[in-house]
Amino acid sequence: MTLADARNQLNEISAEVTHLGENLDLDALTDQIAANEDEMAHPDFWQDNVAAQAVIDTNNELKQRRDNYLVLTDGIESVATTIELLAEMPDDELEAELDNELNQLQQNLESYRLEQLLNEPYDNSNAILEIHPGSGGLSPLIGVLICNGCTRDGQKSITLKLILWIITPGMLPGLIR
């Protein structure tokens, strides 16, 4: 990858992260975290265990959203520094590091996009979507899409399993993953 390509990719990522940050309202998020921590510091906080656990869970989610955004901004700064170093002094090892940093930054951005997409109250729940064949052009197929929210290494992800039974004559039902 050339330095110009790396700069372009970084500019695209940076613009998207800036937009996400505007929607995040980092100041309000930080204020809410501070308010929750003040509430947790009160001596009578544990009087109602269920309410206390709800505040802790909410605060942990807010911290995770903030921290994941800060990981993106730190990654952008790191990649920008690496690009500047490469512009001054080309080095094969540093180029490999730049590629790794850009790939990691892109993966972090994709994870953050997904996290922002799934931040509603019921997004932690499982969902089943049935596709009924008919006028939509799926007449030879009947399918069920199973979508489970799961946590892996502290990051939200989606597991999708698409199960299709093919009803065309002469074909056995198949399973596509």
Side-chain angles (χ1 to χ4, degrees), residues 76-106:
I76 289 170
E77 290 176 16
S78 176
V79 169
T81 302
T82 305
I83 290 172
E84 288 176 20
L85 288 172
L86 274 172
E88 293 175 10
M89 181 175 43
D91 179 34
D92 291 339
E93 289 181 23
L94 201 54
E95 283 183 34
E97 184 179 328
L98 175 63
D99 286 342
N100 290 337
E101 286 181 353
L102 274 171
N103 289 334
Q104 184 63 48
L105 184 59
Q106 189 66 43

Side-chain angles (χ1 to χ4, degrees), residues 12-167:
E12 290 172 9
I13 291 172
S14 182
E16 185 170 351
V17 169
T18 300
H19 177 71
L20 289 170
E22 291 168 357
N23 293 333
L24 179 64
D25 194 4
L26 196 58
D27 293 334
L29 188 62
T30 302
D31 291 344
Q32 182 62 46
I33 291 169
N36 287 346
E37 288 175 349
D38 285 344
E39 184 179 347
M40 288 187 280
H42 285 111
D44 60 345
F45 177 71
W46 287 103
Q47 296 293 353
D48 183 357
N49 289 340
V50 174
Q53 191 60 50
V55 170
I56 291 170
D57 291 344
T58 300
N59 206 47
N60 288 340
E61 289 176 18
L62 294 175
K63 284 181 178 180
Q64 183 178 4
R65 288 178 66 195
R66 179 199 60 198
D67 294 346
N68 289 347
Y69 177 77
L70 294 176
V71 164
L72 288 173
T73 58
D74 291 345
I76 289 170
E77 290 176 16
S78 176
V79 169
T81 302
T82 305
I83 290 172
E84 288 176 20
L85 288 172
L86 274 172
E88 293 175 10
M89 181 175 43
D91 179 34
D92 291 339
E93 289 181 23
L94 201 54
E95 283 183 34
E97 184 179 328
L98 175 63
D99 286 342
N100 290 337
E101 286 181 353
L102 274 171
N103 289 334
Q104 184 63 48
L105 184 59
Q106 189 66 43
Q107 288 174 359
N108 290 345
L109 178 59
E110 289 173 15
S111 294
Y112 191 78
R113 279 189 209 129
L114 181 61
E115 178 184 314
Q116 294 307 302
L117 182 65
L118 299 175
N119 67 357
E120 298 297 321
Y122 296 106
D123 287 339
N124 289 331
S125 302
N126 293 337
I128 297 176
L129 171 69
E130 291 187 31
I131 302 169
H132 296 279
S135 63
L138 293 174
S139 56
L141 303 175
I142 297 176
V144 177
L145 179 67
I146 303 171
C147 175
N148 294 315
C150 62
T151 303
R152 184 184 69 224
D153 298 329
Q155 295 181 353
K156 285 186 179 178
S157 64
I158 290 183
T159 301
L160 294 176
K161 297 176 186 171
L162 182 59
I163 304 169
L164 295 175
W165 288 275
I166 301 173
I167 304 182

